[in-house]
Amino acid sequence: MIPQGVQCYFGEEVNRRRKVESILAAIMKNWGFDEIILPFFDYVESFSYGLGSELGDKAYRFLDKDGSLLALRPDLTTLVGKTVATRMRGQPLPIQLFYSGEVFRQERAGAGKQKESYQIGLELMGVGEPHADIEILLVAIDCLLHLGVKEFKIALGHVGFFNGIVQQLNLSEEKAGALRDAIDHKDTAWLKSQVEDLQLSDDKKRFLIDVPNLAGGREILELALGIVENPRSRQALLDLRKTAEVLNALGLSDFLTFDLAEVRGLDYYTGIVFKIYGHSLGFEMGGGGRYDGLLGRFGWDLPAVGFSFTLDRILPLLADVTGLQVPLHEAEPHEIATSSGDLTGFFRQAWELRQQGLRVRLGGV
Amino acid sequence: MLTVALSKGRLLEPTVDFLRRAGIEVPEDILSSRRLLAPDSTGSYKFLLVKPTDLPTYVEYGVAAAGICGRDVLLEVTPDLHQPLDLGFGRCTLVLAGKGGGRKENHNLLSTTRVATKYPRITERFFRSRGLPAEVIYLSGSVELAPNLGLAETIMDLVETGRTLRENGLVVLEEVAESTARVVVNRASFHIQQAEVQEFLRRLRKVLE
């Protein structure tokens, strides 16, 4: 008898997992990220900000000898944020870290969810939008291309788009929550019933009911820009547009799709949010976003953005990994200052150097 | 090719009718349940015929990209899916019912009640949200017999016309939720098969207009 949802690997499966892990680690290093090894547990309250009640409730909790309440890590980003804010304060920016390890959540196992799952991810701290946002999307794409995954989509949204609308309408938290749920499930029937009693023009109501359908190529950004007036939503759309332009210039736009109804995710997200979907996999294999408020909670207010892959969900997409090469890297990375040239020019230069196998990291801001 | 799951049973006929009006022909083999998996003649769709309560599972795992099922099933299973369309047909009400005789007014006063149902999770949520302790008895069919046999005081069941309830001497104590046929879409398929999913939804929306 074993507890439901625990994992155990041996034989060829172990080689396969370790190989993929080492490839991802090597790529992240080449993009200028250093590895961090994190603790398995921390105080419950360290996780409580940002994880929200949903994930907070899923943590395995236990008591320390002195009576303090501890939790097995349900999330790694929080631990990176806490470590950076408390132990690395004052170090030159940006701070770029990657990690791998298990997270533990009390989930109903199934549909890709496990109680114990293995994540590989990274965090880029100290660089604001849009440079850092684009940078981490590019790392994610580079990782999957190296692994030979050709068919995938990054569904990109921005919480500022929805929050701007909520703010402008001055909605109660309860009402905003109901709207968010309806939009998240693209449940137009329910959304319609929620929007009916709002003090809005019919045009605006129709637009709000149509938000779940604002998914697709760049044209949906233009469509939304033609309608929303509040500055927060507009800024979010303009940031997404810049991201689209850069990825387009690099010939990577096939991997990107926009979803303005991408409003869920962890409570700590403040900017872009995204999920990465693969062909013939019913659930996302990774995801991430911007969380500018998290580090401030631990004493060093830094903008930050990151993502993680769930290893167990990437593996089914890969055929034979024995032929895959672990990228080599040089000891010292080339630095390119983010202030040099225009956004597209900067990323084109960095992408080309990286495609030659060079180790490149973002320079100071 | 877009794989679409269809619910066996009461929703199958109206679903096939609706799809026909949208210009999508479900193959005869599916309709007669001779085959459980078959493509349409144009090769744009593949249909999968499954038990209604299993449908969300097929879509959640991405085995089918989309599906059509009752809202009652979605409330019970609470799958993590997009629910972009209410197709409006297959209208039913989920009700709490029991024997007549004055209980209609005071079913809230029962100290502990036994409820028989095919919808244990909805029933559990309903009673707990009212602060009422209830013993939920799961049955997979003939739920309306339970009060007369003394198995349970009340039942939580889906009612279309109310005839079955009347025939068993039961009255509606409370209407709990409305159910109609809904389109569900897998979250990954929504993006990975974007063009096909949008075309499917566009065709269905057109019928609703």
Side-chain angles (χ1 to χ4, degrees):
Chain A
M1 195 73 166
I2 57 163
Q4 191 203 23
V6 295
Q7 309 292 322
C8 175
Y9 303 99
F10 48 84
E12 203 34 55
E13 182 75 21
V14 171
N15 298 335
R16 199 174 145 80
R17 294 177 73 86
R18 292 298 190 210
K19 178 78 179 274
V20 170
E21 201 186 330
S22 59
I23 291 170
L24 291 174
I27 295 167
M28 290 174 181
K29 270 186 201 159
N30 276 347
W31 281 77
F33 291 79
D34 296 315
E35 185 165 9
I36 181 169
I37 297 176
L38 298 159
F40 272 81
F41 57 87
D42 203 327
Y43 293 116
V44 164
E45 63 257 32
S46 296
F47 297 107
S48 61
Y49 169 72
L51 293 189
S53 56
E54 199 192 336
L55 198 50
D57 286 349
K58 287 180 180 165
Y60 284 90
R61 278 166 270 203
F62 53 102
L63 286 177
D64 205 352
K65 233 176 176 175
D66 63 3
S68 47
L69 198 52
L70 303 172
L72 275 181
R73 58 190 191 196
D75 172 60
L76 292 164
T77 298
T78 303
L79 291 174
V80 176
K82 181 177 173 179
T83 310
V84 169
T86 53
R87 303 276 302 276
M88 302 183 190
R89 199 179 314 186
Q91 281 194 13
L93 300 177
I95 294 173
Q96 298 181 239
L97 297 167
F98 80 92
Y99 54 79
S100 63
E102 298 83 353
V103 294
F104 306 93
R105 294 172 188 174
Q106 306 199 43
E107 303 257 23
R108 183 162 57 106
K113 289 183 179 141
Q114 293 292 349
K115 293 187 172 173
E116 181 188 339
S117 72
Y118 200 89
Q119 292 188 345
I120 301 173
L122 54 79
E123 316 293 343
L124 171 45
M125 289 154 289
V127 186
E129 307 161 276
H131 275 89
D133 295 359
I134 297 169
E135 177 84 348
I136 67 149
L137 290 171
L138 292 176
V139 192
I141 292 172
D142 199 32
C143 284
L144 290 169
L145 292 178
H146 260 99
L147 290 175
V149 181
K150 299 260 166 13
E151 280 192 86
F152 64 88
K153 288 270 186 204
I154 299 180
L156 181 66
H158 196 299
V159 297
F161 171 72
F162 177 73
N163 290 344
I165 294 173
V166 168
Q167 201 175 16
Q168 189 193 23
L169 293 175
N170 209 2
L171 298 179
S172 70
E173 214 163 284
E174 195 190 348
K175 187 76 182 175
L179 283 181
R180 183 182 286 113
D181 274 356
I183 289 174
D184 173 46
H185 284 104
K186 300 195 188 290
D187 187 343
T188 34
W190 187 23
L191 186 59
K192 213 169 179 169
S193 70
Q194 290 294 330
V195 167
E196 245 155 32
D197 59 343
L198 294 177
Q199 298 291 326
L200 276 178
S201 69
D202 284 354
D203 274 4
K204 289 269 168 64
K205 277 185 185 172
R206 258 199 302 279
F207 173 70
L208 210 48
I209 294 166
D210 202 36
V211 167
N213 300 319
L214 293 177
R218 290 172 63 179
E219 66 282 357
I220 60 131
L221 302 179
E222 305 306 326
L223 196 135
L225 276 168
I227 297 172
V228 289
E229 285 157 5
N230 79 79
R232 198 166 167 194
S233 299
R234 291 191 70 81
Q235 189 56 50
L237 293 167
L238 292 172
D239 282 347
L240 290 177
R241 186 156 79 179
K242 276 186 204 147
T243 306
E245 278 162 12
V246 172
L247 266 73
N248 204 31
L250 297 180
L252 301 171
S253 53
D254 277 357
F255 300 122
L256 189 67
T257 181
F258 294 94
D259 188 355
L260 296 180
E262 183 60 77
V263 291
R264 196 169 48 169
L266 305 172
D267 285 10
Y268 54 57
Y269 286 132
T270 54
I272 61 158
V273 278
F274 60 94
K275 295 211 173 95
I276 309 168
Y277 295 104
H279 195 71
S280 76
L281 187 71
F283 12 86
E284 77 266 18
M285 55 174 138
R290 172 165 289 280
Y291 50 98
D292 285 351
L294 182 72
L295 272 79
R297 298 282 297 214
F298 297 112
W300 190 18
D301 200 5
L302 277 187
V305 61
F307 78 91
S308 67
F309 288 118
T310 303
L311 187 59
D312 315 77
R313 298 189 189 178
I314 292 186
L315 287 165
L317 297 172
L318 309 177
D320 188 9
V321 299
T322 47
L324 293 176
Q325 294 293 319
V326 178
L328 298 170
H329 64 83
E330 309 147 73
E332 282 305 312
H334 298 252
E335 278 207 8
I336 308 180
T338 48
S339 51
S340 70
D342 67 313
L343 198 64
T344 306
F346 166 79
F347 279 106
R348 186 178 281 132
Q349 185 193 1
W351 183 257
E352 277 164 9
L353 290 173
R354 280 159 174 156
Q355 294 309 303
Q356 292 164 28
L358 294 180
R359 190 173 179 210
V360 178
R361 61 176 281 158
L362 293 186
V365 201
Chain B
M1 192 183 285
L2 196 71
T3 305
V4 178
L6 307 177
S7 303
K8 276 183 190 173
R10 67 175 183 95
L11 281 181
L12 185 59
E13 240 186 77
T15 301
V16 170
D17 271 1
F18 194 95
L19 289 173
R20 186 173 295 133
R21 282 193 281 150
I24 302 168
E25 280 300 326
V26 178
E28 182 56 34
D29 279 2
I30 287 276
L31 200 52
S32 62
S33 299
R34 266 200 305 273
R35 289 172 72 187
L36 302 179
L37 185 66
D40 76 335
S41 57
T42 68
S44 308
Y45 297 96
K46 190 158 73 179
F47 294 100
L48 174 66
L49 191 61
V50 298
K51 268 184 79 171
T53 48
D54 295 341
L55 191 141
T57 310
Y58 283 93
V59 183
E60 205 174 2
Y61 276 82
V63 172
I68 296 173
C69 69
R71 178 167 181 253
D72 57 314
V73 174
L74 298 175
L75 289 173
E76 176 64 19
V77 182
T78 58
D80 191 16
L81 294 172
H82 290 320
Q83 301 172 24
L85 279 181
D86 179 353
L87 298 180
F89 64 82
R91 188 170 292 278
C92 283
T93 313
L94 197 64
V95 303
L96 184 72
K99 289 197 214 179
R103 284 248 174 105
K104 190 177 166 71
E105 290 73 30
N106 66 1
H107 76 270
N108 271 349
L109 300 178
L110 292 172
S111 54
T112 293
T113 185
R114 286 197 299 202
V115 199
T117 186
K118 278 190 271 189
Y119 302 92
R121 292 171 71 186
I122 296 174
T123 309
E124 189 84 30
R125 271 205 308 272
F126 173 81
F127 279 93
R128 283 174 61 188
S129 72
R130 297 288 173 90
L132 292 170
E135 194 173 319
V136 178
I137 301 170
Y138 172 73
L139 297 175
S140 63
S142 304
V143 175
E144 60 285 350
L145 292 179
N148 288 312
L149 298 174
L151 179 61
E153 285 93 33
T154 54
I155 64 168
M156 179 80 81
D157 208 4
L158 201 60
V159 173
E160 202 168 344
T161 60
R163 208 182 72 197
T164 314
L165 285 188
R166 282 194 298 280
E167 283 172 1
N168 286 282
L170 302 178
V171 296
V172 172
L173 302 174
E174 186 164 342
E175 295 187 349
V176 175
E178 288 287 324
S179 177
T180 46
R182 301 293 169 103
V183 177
V184 291
V185 178
N186 175 277
R187 284 179 179 270
S189 307
F190 186 86
H191 296 292
I192 294 288
Q193 291 188 275
Q194 197 164 59
E196 288 162 288
V197 169
Q198 291 302 347
E199 168 63 12
F200 178 59
L201 295 176
R202 190 191 63 77
R203 279 168 175 267
L204 299 182
R205 256 188 223 115
K206 226 171 156 187
V207 178
L208 292 173
E209 277 162 10

